[in-house]
Amino acid sequence: MLRIGYFTAADITKSRQVLEKRLNPLGVQVQWAQFTAGPQLLEAINVGSLDVGAVGETPPIFAQATGIPFVLLANTIPGTGEGSAIVVREDSPIKTIADLKGKGIAFQRATASQYFVVKALQEGGLELKDVKHLNLIAPETRAALSRKSIDAAVLGDPHLAIFQKTEKVRIIRNAKGLSTQGGYWIAARSFVKENPEVIKIVLEEVHKLGEWSKANTREPGFLTNSEKSRVKNW
């Protein structure tokens, strides 16, 4: 059994079933588990309920600090950052990053959102201590901004796109130029030691799928390259 994690946004590896096609004939079943962000995926690896997954650059840093037993298998291409943004309600008096001083802003700790916020605040002459941080996952963040219990929120696609369609919100700053440098495919250390051939197949198929996606950007039913790069609120 290969237990592999993916995110709410999408996962082309799961959609095209490339791992199932390679592993099922070998007697290895593939089981998929959906997560809201990288910290939750890494915690699943920590407690032994997940074997492999892909996360952004930031969560592994925090996971290493807490001693979670995982290994980095391969890096992933960074996105443009345009799929993540700091948003406020349309009627908010907040116009710039500097206006966030003393305000409540929600995002999940130990994710790329935290990296983005820190860098964005620096542009406005602020530090993280200058705002009131609420540690919420994306669905909770959307709800909090809707009921006006926070002043600003950090959201990434698809949550950002959904929110823009369903609520009157305004983007203060997207993550273009401030996003992290990609991410990683990771695996539980014990699984890598015990299943080297399975890991080899995973890496082969992920690489081939990456090449396929670059050559088929408008394939019906799948994301464009731009959309793929934005699906990384890890």
Side-chain angles (χ1 to χ4, degrees):
M1 174 74 73
L2 169 64
R3 300 166 300 174
I4 185 166
Y6 72 105
F7 294 107
T8 306
D11 194 294
I12 195 171
T13 312
K14 179 177 184 291
S15 300
R16 292 191 64 80
Q17 296 190 312
V18 292
L19 295 178
E20 287 84 348
K21 292 172 184 176
R22 285 285 304 275
L23 293 172
N24 287 357
L26 302 177
V28 179
Q29 298 301 308
V30 180
Q31 183 181 82
W32 292 87
Q34 191 178 73
F35 294 87
T36 57
Q40 288 87 345
L41 190 152
L42 276 153
E43 181 55 29
I45 285 180
N46 187 41
V47 299
S49 61
L50 194 72
D51 304 312
V52 174
V55 297
E57 180 185 68
T58 306
I61 297 172
F62 287 86
Q64 285 177 327
T66 58
I68 292 178
F70 73 96
V71 294
L72 303 175
L73 299 177
N75 67 300
T76 59
I77 299 172
T80 63
E82 295 172 292
S84 297
I86 298 172
V87 301
V88 297
R89 295 182 300 278
E90 193 173 69
D91 60 356
S92 172
I94 298 172
K95 305 296 183 183
T96 67
I97 292 296
D99 294 336
L100 290 171
K101 186 172 184 178
K103 304 298 184 182
I105 181 169
F107 59 88
Q108 186 174 353
R109 179 183 176 276
T111 66
S113 293
Q114 181 168 349
Y115 177 92
F116 165 37
V117 168
V118 170
K119 291 297 185 180
L121 289 175
Q122 288 176 355
E123 284 188 343
L126 303 177
E127 298 179 19
L128 195 56
K129 65 181 181 180
D130 294 321
V131 299
K132 300 172 183 176
H133 171 224
L134 286 83
N135 186 30
L136 302 177
I137 62 174
E140 294 172 341
T141 295
R142 284 168 49 192
L145 193 61
S146 293
R147 61 175 179 263
K148 299 184 178 182
S149 59
I150 57 173
D151 301 296
V154 182
L155 291 170
D157 284 339
H159 301 284
L160 175 59
I162 293 170
F163 210 46
Q164 287 177 296
K165 288 184 178 181
T166 59
E167 301 283 344
K168 293 182 178 180
V169 294
R170 181 162 36 85
I171 291 177
I172 298 300
R173 171 71 157 95
N174 66 28
K176 187 174 183 179
L178 298 179
S179 58
T180 60
Q181 299 304 305
Y184 303 99
W185 277 89
I186 63 173
R189 185 174 294 124
S190 58
F191 187 85
V192 174
K193 290 180 179 179
E194 297 167 8
N195 302 275
E197 289 304 314
V198 172
I199 292 298
K200 181 175 180 290
I201 289 172
V202 169
L203 292 177
E204 288 174 351
E205 292 304 319
V206 167
H207 174 72
K208 287 192 290 186
L209 193 53
E211 295 300 308
W212 176 89
S213 65
K214 285 189 288 186
N216 295 272
T217 58
R218 299 305 304 179
E219 181 78 6
F222 296 101
L223 301 175
T224 65
N225 273 349
S226 174
E227 291 165 331
K228 290 170 196 168
S229 71
R230 288 158 46 194
V231 177
K232 62 184 292 286
N233 185 28
W234 297 334

